[in-house]
Amino acid sequence: MSAAPAATDHEAAPPLRQTPLAALHRELGAKLVPFAGYEMPVSYATGIVKEHTHVRQRAGFFDVSHMGQARITGADFETVAAAFERLVPGDIAGLKRGQIRYTQLLNDEGGIIDDLMATREADGTGLFLVVNASRKEVDFAHIAAHLPPTVTLAPLADRALVALQGPDAARVLARQLPEAASLAFMTAGALDWRGAAVFVSRSGYTGEDGFEISVPADAAEAFARSLLAHPEVEAIGLGARDTLRLEAGLPLYGQDMDETTSPVEAALDFSIGKRRRRDGGFIGAERVQRELADGPARVRVGLRLEGRSAARTHMKIASETGEALGEITSGAYTPTAAASVAFGYVPPRSSAPGTPVAVEIRGAFQPARVASLPFVPHRYVRKA
C-alpha cells in the first residue's frame, strides 16, 4: 500500500475521508491507517496472518467503500458499449446481461490509467463500473471527457461497497440474499435486501469464491452487521487483502502498474478480446497491438524466493550472473503459499517459469526463481 504524501509547513494535509462503516470499524477494534485519502482498517485484533488464513478457510468481510462506483447510460447498450470501447481494450459490446468484464483505462501512449470492472446491467442498457479508490477522480474525469453527448457518466457517491470472500461466502450470503447463490463467477444481479436495492457481483480480489455487494450508504452498517453476525465471518483489513491478492497473482494499481505500464507488460493481455486485438479502435491501441505482435520490452512475472526474507518494492532483480534485469513491485512472505513471493518486471527472455534469478535484499542477492501464477490456486465458482 502506498503511503499518503506528507504535508508541507504551508499546506495542511486534507482531512481523511471515511466510509459509511467508519464507526463499525472502531467498534471492532480496527487499526486505522490513511489509504487513498481515506481512513481505512489495515487489520483487526487477530492480526493480518490470522485474517488472511480465515479468508482462505472460512469467509472474510471487507469494507471496500473507498472504491469508485459509477453508471454509464445512454439510449441503448450498443451506444454505451461503443462509447466505452473507445477508452478500454476489453470486449464491452460482447457482454451479456449481468456479465462482468475486467479491463483497463488507457492513455494515448497505451499506459494504464486504471484497471476496473465493468458490468452490463440487468436491464441491458447501461454499464456499472468499479474503479480503484486512488484513481476514481482521475478516471471519472477522463471517462466523462471522452464520452459523446448521448452517453452519460454518473458517479455513485451515495453507495457503499463491501466484499465477502472465502469458501463459506456463498453459504453465508445466501442466508441474506438467497438469489445470490445462483450467480456464477463474473456475473452480477440487482437484488433486494430488506427494502434496499443492492447490486451483487460474484467476484473479488482474493482468488477465493466470493462476492462484492454495492449497497446504499444508509443501509451499509445494518448490512455489514448482518453478515458479521454469522460465525463463519470475520472482519478483514487491507493488510490481509494485500497478501491474499498477491498469492492469487493479482496486480495492484500504483504498485504493479501505472500510467507507463501497458496491459501487455503487466501480463493482462488475457483481458483483451480477439476482436479488440484485431481491430483496435481504442485509445493507446497502437502500442498494445505492437506489443501483442512483437512482444514487450519487459513483462510482469511471479517470483518465489528461497528463505523467508520478503522482497519489497524497488528491490533489484538480477540474473544468476549479476546482469540487471528489473525490480520488484510487490512482495511478502504469505501464509498460504508459506513462501516469500513477489511480482517484478524482467525482460521476456528471463520470464519463463523456473528461470533462476536473484533479488537484492539488504545489500545481498537472495536466490529466487520465476514462478507460474497464481502462487495459490484460484477457487472461483464458474457455474453456480
mmCIF file of all heavy atoms in Angstrom, residues 123 133 231 261 274 282 285 338 347:
data_model
loop_
_atom_site.group_PDB
_atom_site.id
_atom_site.type_symbol
_atom_site.label_atom_id
_atom_site.label_comp_id
_atom_site.label_asym_id
_atom_site.label_seq_id
_atom_site.Cartn_x
_atom_site.Cartn_y
_atom_site.Cartn_z
ATOM 1 N N ASP A 123 -30.903 -4.665 -16.824
ATOM 2 C CA ASP A 123 -31.892 -4.157 -17.768
ATOM 3 C C ASP A 123 -31.334 -4.080 -19.186
ATOM 4 O O ASP A 123 -32.066 -3.791 -20.148
ATOM 5 C CB ASP A 123 -32.425 -2.795 -17.331
ATOM 6 C CG ASP A 123 -31.360 -1.689 -17.361
ATOM 7 O OD1 ASP A 123 -30.227 -1.947 -17.816
ATOM 8 O OD2 ASP A 123 -31.674 -0.577 -16.923
ATOM 9 N N ALA A 133 -9.779 3.235 -5.693
ATOM 10 C CA ALA A 133 -10.016 4.404 -4.847
ATOM 11 C C ALA A 133 -9.074 5.553 -5.166
ATOM 12 O O ALA A 133 -9.497 6.715 -5.256
ATOM 13 C CB ALA A 133 -9.876 4.007 -3.377
ATOM 14 N N PRO A 231 -21.238 -16.909 12.297
ATOM 15 C CA PRO A 231 -19.998 -17.364 12.934
ATOM 16 C C PRO A 231 -18.864 -17.640 11.956
ATOM 17 O O PRO A 231 -17.696 -17.622 12.357
ATOM 18 C CB PRO A 231 -20.419 -18.649 13.655
ATOM 19 C CG PRO A 231 -21.673 -19.100 12.964
ATOM 20 C CD PRO A 231 -22.357 -17.844 12.535
ATOM 21 N N THR A 261 2.870 1.745 -17.784
ATOM 22 C CA THR A 261 2.809 0.298 -17.993
ATOM 23 C C THR A 261 1.671 -0.052 -18.946
ATOM 24 O O THR A 261 0.541 0.403 -18.765
ATOM 25 C CB THR A 261 2.547 -0.422 -16.660
ATOM 26 O OG1 THR A 261 3.375 0.118 -15.636
ATOM 27 C CG2 THR A 261 2.803 -1.917 -16.795
ATOM 28 N N LYS A 274 -10.372 -10.999 -28.665
ATOM 29 C CA LYS A 274 -9.838 -11.260 -30.007
ATOM 30 C C LYS A 274 -10.207 -10.143 -30.981
ATOM 31 O O LYS A 274 -9.375 -9.680 -31.771
ATOM 32 C CB LYS A 274 -10.373 -12.600 -30.523
ATOM 33 C CG LYS A 274 -9.785 -13.026 -31.855
ATOM 34 C CD LYS A 274 -10.396 -14.353 -32.321
ATOM 35 C CE LYS A 274 -10.051 -15.486 -31.383
ATOM 36 N NZ LYS A 274 -10.549 -16.797 -31.886
ATOM 37 N N PHE A 282 -9.254 1.703 -29.872
ATOM 38 C CA PHE A 282 -9.287 2.278 -28.531
ATOM 39 C C PHE A 282 -8.049 3.147 -28.325
ATOM 40 O O PHE A 282 -7.018 2.963 -28.989
ATOM 41 C CB PHE A 282 -9.355 1.190 -27.459
ATOM 42 C CG PHE A 282 -8.295 0.117 -27.578
ATOM 43 C CD1 PHE A 282 -7.053 0.244 -26.949
ATOM 44 C CD2 PHE A 282 -8.546 -1.048 -28.314
ATOM 45 C CE1 PHE A 282 -6.090 -0.738 -27.049
ATOM 46 C CE2 PHE A 282 -7.585 -2.036 -28.419
ATOM 47 C CZ PHE A 282 -6.352 -1.884 -27.792
ATOM 48 N N ALA A 285 -4.181 2.021 -28.611
ATOM 49 C CA ALA A 285 -4.178 0.746 -29.327
ATOM 50 C C ALA A 285 -2.873 0.493 -30.075
ATOM 51 O O ALA A 285 -2.441 -0.662 -30.199
ATOM 52 C CB ALA A 285 -5.353 0.681 -30.301
ATOM 53 N N ALA A 338 3.164 -20.154 2.085
ATOM 54 C CA ALA A 338 4.253 -20.463 3.014
ATOM 55 C C ALA A 338 5.599 -20.213 2.352
ATOM 56 O O ALA A 338 6.514 -21.039 2.407
ATOM 57 C CB ALA A 338 4.151 -21.906 3.514
ATOM 58 N N PRO A 347 12.964 -8.756 -18.503
ATOM 59 C CA PRO A 347 12.859 -8.937 -19.955
ATOM 60 C C PRO A 347 12.188 -10.277 -20.278
ATOM 61 O O PRO A 347 12.325 -11.241 -19.517
ATOM 62 C CB PRO A 347 14.316 -8.913 -20.421
ATOM 63 C CG PRO A 347 15.072 -8.254 -19.319
ATOM 64 C CD PRO A 347 14.363 -8.616 -18.061
#
